Amino acid sequence: MKVGIIGYGAFIPRRRIKLEEIAAVWGADATSYKRGLQLHEKSVPGKDEDTITMSVEAARRAFLRSGGVEPERVGALYIGSESHPYAVKPSGTVVGEALGITPVAHVADLEFACKAGTEGMYLAHSLVKAGEVSYAMGIGADTSQGAPGDALEYSTAAGAAAFLFGADEDRILAEVVATYSWTTDTPDFWRRVHMHYPRHGSRFTGEPAYFRHITSSAKGIMERTGFEPKDFAHAVFHQPNGKFPIRVGKRLGFTMEQLETGWLSPWLGNTYSGASPMGLTAVLDIARPGQLILLTSFGSGAGSDSFVFRITDRLPEVQELAPITRVQLDNDKIYVSYGQYASLRGKIRMGE
Amino acid sequence: MLSPARAWREYPQRYRLEASRCTECGKISYPPRVVCPGCRGRQFETVTLSREGTVVTFTVVHVPPAGFEGQAPLILALVELKEGARTMVQLADVPDPSQVRIGMPVRLEFRKIAEEGEAGTIFYGHKAVPA
Amino acid sequence: MRDVAIIGVGMIPWGELWEDSLRTIWTRAAVAALEDAGVDTVDLITVGCMSSGLFVGQEHLASMVADQLGMPGVPASRVESACASGSLALRHAFAEVAAGLVDIALVTGVEKMTDVDGGAATYTLGTAADQEYESFHGITFPGLYAMMARVHMAHYGTTSRQMAAVSMKNHANGLLNPNAQYHLKVSIDDVLSSTPVAEPLHLLDCSPITDGAAALVIAPIDRARDLAGRRPVVRIAGSGMATDTIALADREDLSRLRAVELSAERAYAMAGKKPSDIHVAEVHDCFTIAEIMTTEALGFFGPGEGGPAAEKGWTALDGRIPVNPSGGLKSKGHPVGATGVAQVCEIVNQLRGEAGQRQVKDARVGLTQNMGGSGGSSIVHILEVV
Ligand SMILES: [Zn+2]
C-alpha cells in the first residue's frame, strides 16, 4: 500500500523585522550577524497570531490541495510546537474543531523542540500505513521564543506547515518512500517550565547536536533506501539560521541547487517546529513528478526525523490551489520596528 | 467578559462560520437563529459560510474597550460574505488604515480575538484581512 | 384612556459629581420634581437606568430609591432600554396613569457613571450592543455610530464639517443652560482638530461620560389643571416606541434609523401631528451623526438633508426647527438612563416659557426622541400646551 502526502499548506504571518533593527537595539554589528548566520529578516506574529491560528490556516490550505477530502474523515490530528498557547489544554482540539475534524479523531499536541512538526508527520503517516485511520494530519507551527538580546532573537520567527496523509492512490502528491529517526539525549537547548525564554549551550548546539543528529539521520535513511545525494532533486534540513542547513547539506554531499528551494531561513528566520516542514512546502510548490526529496528535521534534546518522498503525477495539478510558500515569504510584507516587535511579542512588561 | 462556557457554545459559528439557512425563504442567518428573521420560519439547514467578502462599512477605533487595551488603532469592519450574510469583524494586517475602503475585498482568517488575561482562556474567531 | 399631563420637572446640575452617589443624585432630582409639581405623595415610581449593576453594582434599584425618598411602600419599578431607559420610564408611567391604574406618578432617570474607570465605562456602554457578535470583536459605541456615519457620508455626501456643526450648535446652546456639564464655546475647527475616537468621529463629536438624574411628575389632566395655577398645562399628546435589530450586521440600510422612523410615525399618529407642527425638539445626539440621522428620521428634513440643515443653522435656537436647545447630550451630558427624562424636562420648560436665555419663541408643541444603543430602540414623545 502506498501512503503519502495528499494535501499540504503553509502559513507565514505578514509582519517582518529586519536584522539591522534588532542589532541596533543591542549595539551589535548587523553586518557580521548577516554574514555569520546568513540572516536578513524574520517573520513576526501579530498579537492575534499563535500556534493555533497559524495551524488552522495552514491546514485549511492543505485541505484545498487534498482533492476534496472531508475533514470529518480525518482520523488523527497532531500539532507539533514548542509555543502551544496553553501549558495544559490542547492546541489540537481548537484546530480540530475549527477544521471540522473532531469529534471522531485522535488528537494530540506534541513537543520536541524544533522537530515536533516532523513528529506529527511521522505519526500521521504511520497511522495511515497501519490502516488505523484513512487520513491523518501532522502540523508543525511555532511562534518561536528568543530572549531579548540573545543570539536567538535574530532568528526566532513564526510560521506553520500542515500535511495531510492518506493512502488514496489518486490523491497522493508525494509518496513516503521511507522514514528514519535518530535520537540521543543531548542537552543543547531547553526551556524549563514557567520560563518565558529557552536557554542553550551556545556552540554546543552545533557539532554534537545539530550536525551529528542530522548527518546520522540523513545517512541512515540513505543507507536504508540505497539512495545517494545525487538521486535527490531537493533536500531540506532544519534551518535554525541561514548558515547551518547549507553547511550540513554540503557536508552530506548535496549541492546548492538541491538545497536552495527549501532554504527559507535567511528571509523567514527559524520557525522552530515549522522550520523544515515549511522548507518542504516550498519544495512541494515547485517539485515535478518522479523527483525524490529528502527531509531531515532536527529537534534539540535531541533527535532527527528523516523522510524520503517520491513526487507523483498529481502534484502539479494542486500546487496552485493554495498560497505558494515562497510567494507568502516574498510579498505583502509589513515591516515593524523593534519597539513594535517588542510590544507584539509581549517583551514589554505592563504595570499590573 | 466571556466565560469559557459562553464562548464554547458559540464555537460552531465562531470557528467554522456555521450559519442557518431557512428552508422556507432561504434567508441565511449568521449566527444561527431559532426563528427566521425573514419569514419567522422555524426549519433550518446548517450552511458553512465562505471566508470571502467585501467591506460594507468600517471604523478605526482609537480608544479600544476593556480587553483590547494596547491594540489601538483597532479597525472594525462590517463584512458582507459571498452568501449575503454580514458579520462584524476586526480588519487585521492592514499596513495603513487610511487605505481601507467601503467595497474593499477581504478574506476571513482564523485569529485570536481576546483572552481572559494571561491566566484565563483564549477566545478564537475570525478576522478579515485584505484579500 | 385618560389624558395625562406633566405637572413637575426636576433637574440638577450634571457633570462629574464626585461628592454624590447614585442615591443622592436620584433623590435630589426627585425632590426637585415633587417641589415643582407641588405634591408630596405619589402612587407610582418608575426609574429609567441602563446599568446601575455594572456602574455601581446596585440592582433592585427602584425599591432602594423609593426608600431614599422616604416612600417605602409605594410601587416602584426600574425599566431598561439602554440609553432610552429614561423615556421608557415615562412611557410606562404614562400608560398606568392613562389607564387609571394610578393617579400621580414620579418618573425618574439616573446614571452614576464615574465610579468606574474609562475602560469599564466604555465596556458597560458597549453592553447595549450585541455582546456575542459585536462587542466580542472589540467594537465600541463610538465605533458603531462611526460605521453608520461612514455609510451616511458615502450615501449622501454628509461631511465631517456638517457633523461638527451639530457639536458647535449644541455647545452654544449648552452655554445657556446652567445645568449642562460643559460650558464651552466650540468651533467647527475645534471639533475637526480634536482627537480621533472612532474615525470619522472625533472626541468633540461624542457625548461625554456624565453623572446625572432627572425627574418628572405626571397626573391625569384634571388634576394637572388644579395644580397648574397660572402655569401652562403640558399634555402628553403622543408616545411612540419601536425597536430594531441591535446588531448592525442585521440591518438592511445603515444610512437610516428605522426604529426612530417607526417610533416617530406612531407618536405623530397618536398626537395627530406631523413634523411641521413641531416647534422645538430634543433629540438623541449621543454622537453628532446621530442628530443628523434622527432629524431625518423624525421627518424634519429629507433623507440626506440633515447634514446640510445643521451646517446652515436650521436647527439652531433661532432656526426653522430648533433642536436640542438644552445643549443636547453633547453639552448637557449623557448620564444614560437620565437622558430621556431630562429631554422631557427641557421641552416642558420650553412649552411653559421657563427656559430662560435659551427659550424658543412661541413654542407650543415639542418633541423628544430618545434612542437605545446603536438604534436598537427609540422612543418619541410629543408634548403640547393645552
Ligand atoms: Zn425564512
Side-chain angles (χ1 to χ4, degrees):
Chain A
M1 183 174 71
K2 279 187 187 175
V3 175
I5 294 170
I6 63 165
Y8 72 94
F11 179 87
I12 304 174
R14 287 181 61 184
R15 288 176 184 78
R16 301 285 190 282
I17 187 166
K18 288 187 184 292
L19 187 124
E20 289 86 345
E21 188 65 35
I22 302 170
V25 170
W26 304 113
D29 178 29
T31 317
S32 52
Y33 263 100
K34 286 173 93 159
R35 201 171 40 228
L37 294 174
Q38 296 199 39
L39 289 169
H40 302 282
E41 60 188 48
K42 64 171 194 171
S43 66
V44 177
K47 270 208 167 87
D48 54 2
E49 291 170 310
D50 62 19
T51 284
I52 287 174
T53 66
M54 296 189 301
S55 294
V56 170
E57 288 302 320
R60 283 174 172 171
R61 292 166 183 189
F63 277 106
L64 288 177
R65 290 187 172 107
S66 73
V69 170
E70 288 127 356
E72 59 265 31
R73 298 188 60 204
V74 175
L77 171 66
Y78 302 107
I79 319 286
S81 180
E82 59 177 276
S83 49
H84 291 291
Y86 290 93
V88 177
K89 197 217 157 290
S91 300
T93 52
V94 184
V95 176
E97 192 83 38
L99 297 171
I101 288 175
T102 49
V104 186
H106 185 250
V107 175
D109 286 6
L110 306 171
E111 184 278 312
F112 192 146
C114 297
K115 90 165 180 81
T118 56
E119 282 184 311
M121 295 166 68
Y122 198 100
L123 294 178
H125 162 254
S126 303
L127 280 173
V128 174
K129 195 171 175 185
E132 282 292 311
V133 299
S134 303
Y135 305 102
M137 184 172 262
I139 301 176
D142 255 307
T143 51
S144 313
Q145 308 92 349
D150 188 83
L152 281 176
E153 197 177 33
Y154 296 91
S155 60
T156 48
F163 300 89
L164 186 58
F165 288 83
D168 303 349
E169 193 90 31
D170 56 338
R171 282 195 166 107
I172 294 177
L173 311 173
E175 181 197 349
V176 177
V177 178
T179 60
Y180 189 91
S181 237
W182 204 86
T183 309
T184 71
D185 187 30
T186 307
D188 61 317
F189 170 107
W190 61 91
R191 178 162 64 86
R192 295 286 299 272
V193 288
H194 306 310
M195 295 292 123
H196 281 102
Y197 302 109
R199 294 180 56 176
H200 53 84
S202 193
R203 293 186 61 78
F204 182 62
T205 60
E207 288 304 331
Y210 178 88
F211 291 99
R212 178 168 176 241
H213 289 78
I214 288 190
T215 49
S216 303
S217 182
K219 281 180 180 164
I221 200 167
M222 286 192 278
E223 263 167 39
R224 183 176 281 182
T225 54
F227 293 128
E228 295 175 28
K230 66 171 170 47
D231 297 324
F232 294 94
H234 303 280
V236 178
F237 300 104
H238 175 54
Q239 30 204 311
N241 52 49
K243 187 171 76 172
F244 279 22
I246 300 303
R247 180 180 286 179
V248 81
K250 288 190 171 163
R251 199 181 281 183
L252 282 162
F254 291 92
T255 64
M256 200 59 206
E257 214 181 350
Q258 290 166 296
L259 298 170
E260 66 191 357
T261 304
W263 187 44
L264 307 177
S265 48
W267 302 96
L268 175 62
N270 180 7
T271 57
Y272 284 6
S273 304
S276 53
M278 292 171 79
L280 178 62
T281 63
V283 164
L284 291 175
D285 282 338
I286 57 116
R288 309 316 299 169
Q291 289 182 338
L292 286 177
I293 292 162
L294 172 68
L295 168 69
T296 302
S297 65
F298 169 71
S300 291
S304 277
D305 298 328
S306 288
F307 294 76
V308 171
F309 298 101
R310 182 182 288 113
I311 303 303
T312 69
D313 292 344
R314 179 167 159 73
L315 180 64
E317 295 170 27
V318 306
Q319 283 166 332
E320 298 293 332
L321 296 181
I324 299 292
T325 304
R326 194 77 217 185
V327 169
Q328 294 181 64
L329 188 60
D330 296 341
N331 295 279
D332 297 331
K333 297 188 264 194
I334 302 172
Y335 285 100
V336 298
S337 66
Y338 189 88
Q340 290 169 315
Y341 165 76
S343 165
L344 288 169
R345 298 300 291 127
K347 293 185 177 192
I348 300 174
R349 300 297 299 167
M350 306 296 279
E352 293 302 319
Chain B
M1 278 312 266
L2 288 182
S3 62
R6 190 172 169 189
W8 165 79
R9 71 176 70 94
E10 306 291 323
Y11 285 169
Q13 39 272 36
R14 292 241 173 84
Y15 285 9
R16 296 193 295 274
L17 296 173
E18 284 184 9
S20 59
R21 177 168 31 218
C22 174
T23 54
E24 279 294 313
C25 75
K27 186 176 174 69
I28 292 177
S29 291
Y30 178 80
R33 295 200 184 210
V34 176
V35 175
C36 172
C39 70
R40 295 189 195 155
R42 283 153 211 200
Q43 302 292 320
F44 298 93
E45 57 188 9
T46 299
V47 292
T48 298
L49 300 176
S50 67
R51 296 190 293 274
E52 290 159 43
T54 54
V55 171
V56 174
T57 184
F58 68 98
T59 179
V60 183
V61 173
H62 293 269
V63 186
F68 295 85
E69 298 92 345
Q71 294 184 41
L74 214 56
I75 310 176
L76 272 296
L78 202 56
V79 169
E80 183 163 313
L81 298 173
K82 259 188 355 202
E83 293 78 10
R86 289 178 176 186
T87 177
M88 177 81 71
V89 285
Q90 275 185 43
L91 195 44
D93 293 1
V94 175
D96 176 7
S98 72
Q99 299 298 305
V100 181
R101 294 283 177 271
I102 289 175
M104 182 174 130
V106 293
R107 168 165 64 73
L108 299 191
E109 275 189 8
F110 199 75
R111 296 288 171 110
K112 177 173 156 179
I113 309 294
E115 60 189 355
E116 303 172 288
E118 271 187 29
T121 58
I122 304 168
F123 305 126
Y124 292 95
H126 285 84
K127 291 188 182 183
V129 297
Chain C
M1 205 172 103
R2 301 190 288 181
D3 268 353
V4 178
I6 295 166
I7 63 170
V9 298
M11 263 298 283
I12 57 167
W14 285 2
E16 293 177 322
L17 307 178
W18 302 114
E19 314 271 332
D20 273 299
S21 65
L22 174 83
R23 63 183 77 186
T24 60
I25 52 175
W26 182 90
T27 311
R28 279 187 225 292
V31 166
L34 292 173
E35 283 178 356
D36 186 55
V39 297
D40 54 11
T41 57
V42 298
D43 308 319
L44 170 73
I45 298 171
T46 60
V47 186
C49 180
M50 174 180 162
S51 197
S52 53
L54 287 173
F55 281 124
V56 295
Q58 181 68 60
E59 306 291 17
H60 207 178
L61 185 64
S63 296
M64 195 267 267
V65 293
D67 172 29
Q68 292 298 307
L69 199 55
M71 293 188 186
V74 173
S77 56
R78 169 184 163 194
V79 296
E80 187 274 317
S81 189
C83 323
S85 301
S87 288
L88 193 57
L90 174 59
R91 187 174 153 84
H92 284 337
F94 169 56
E96 287 207 30
V97 175
L101 281 175
V102 298
D103 280 333
I104 298 192
L106 174 65
V107 175
T108 65
V110 65
E111 213 77 54
K112 174 71 186 172
M113 301 173 74
T114 60
D115 282 352
V116 295
D117 65 26
T122 305
Y123 166 75
T124 302
L125 294 171
T127 61
D130 182 325
Q131 282 299 288
E132 314 289 353
Y133 290 89
E134 289 187 326
S135 308
F136 174 76
H137 293 281
I139 191 67
T140 58
F141 252 90
L144 291 168
Y145 276 94
M147 286 186 165
M148 290 190 265
R150 183 90 62 188
V151 172
H152 206 270
M153 292 166 97
H155 209 93
Y156 296 114
T158 302
T159 65
S160 290
R161 241 189 134 68
Q162 290 166 353
M163 291 189 251
V166 171
S167 180
M168 180 178 75
K169 183 262 297 175
N170 288 350
H171 274 290
N173 292 350
L175 276 170
L176 309 175
N177 182 353
N179 289 324
Q181 178 172 11
Y182 289 107
H183 296 103
L184 289 176
K185 192 171 156 48
V186 166
S187 71
I188 285 182
D189 286 339
D190 289 339
V191 181
L192 296 178
S193 61
S194 62
T195 314
V197 170
E199 295 175 31
L201 301 180
H202 303 84
L203 185 64
L204 288 174
D205 283 299
C206 308
S207 56
I209 300 280
T210 311
D211 300 326
L216 304 164
V217 181
I218 65 172
I221 199 111
D222 299 341
R223 194 68 192 279
R225 288 206 167 94
D226 293 345
L227 287 163
R230 281 185 311 200
R231 283 166 126 185
V233 172
V234 177
R235 184 178 82 100
I236 302 173
S239 174
M241 182 180 184
T243 56
D244 196 356
T245 72
I246 75 170
L248 295 192
D250 295 323
R251 292 206 197 144
E252 275 175 26
D253 185 352
L254 289 171
S255 70
R256 295 169 62 180
L257 289 165
R258 196 70 192 119
V260 183
E261 292 174 4
L262 276 174
S263 60
E265 236 171 68
R266 289 164 188 167
Y268 285 133
M270 181 173 172
K273 305 280 185 205
K274 51 190 188 303
S276 59
D277 295 330
I278 306 299
H279 300 142
V280 58
E282 285 277 307
V283 308
H284 199 92
D285 62 319
C286 48
F287 301 95
T288 50
I289 184 64
E291 180 168 316
I292 289 172
M293 292 174 74
T294 53
T295 53
E296 292 173 7
L298 292 166
F300 298 156
F301 309 111
E305 291 169 8
E311 204 174 12
K312 288 176 193 155
W314 292 356
T315 52
L317 273 185
D318 57 354
R320 294 183 185 186
I321 166 74
V323 173
N324 286 328
S326 70
L329 284 57
K330 179 72 204 78
S331 157
K332 185 178 55 188
H334 183 27
V336 186
T339 287
V341 177
Q343 289 179 323
V344 176
C345 288
E346 176 67 13
I347 294 298
V348 171
N349 282 330
Q350 291 285 348
L351 300 186
R352 283 172 168 179
E354 295 175 1
Q357 281 184 281
R358 58 184 196 282
Q359 181 65 49
V360 173
K361 254 192 246 157
D362 305 324
R364 297 186 57 78
V365 182
L367 175 149
T368 64
Q369 182 275 327
N370 188 198
M371 188 147 51
S374 50
S377 60
S378 173
I379 299 170
V380 170
H381 281 103
I382 296 173
L383 311 178
E384 69 177 332
V385 175
V386 291

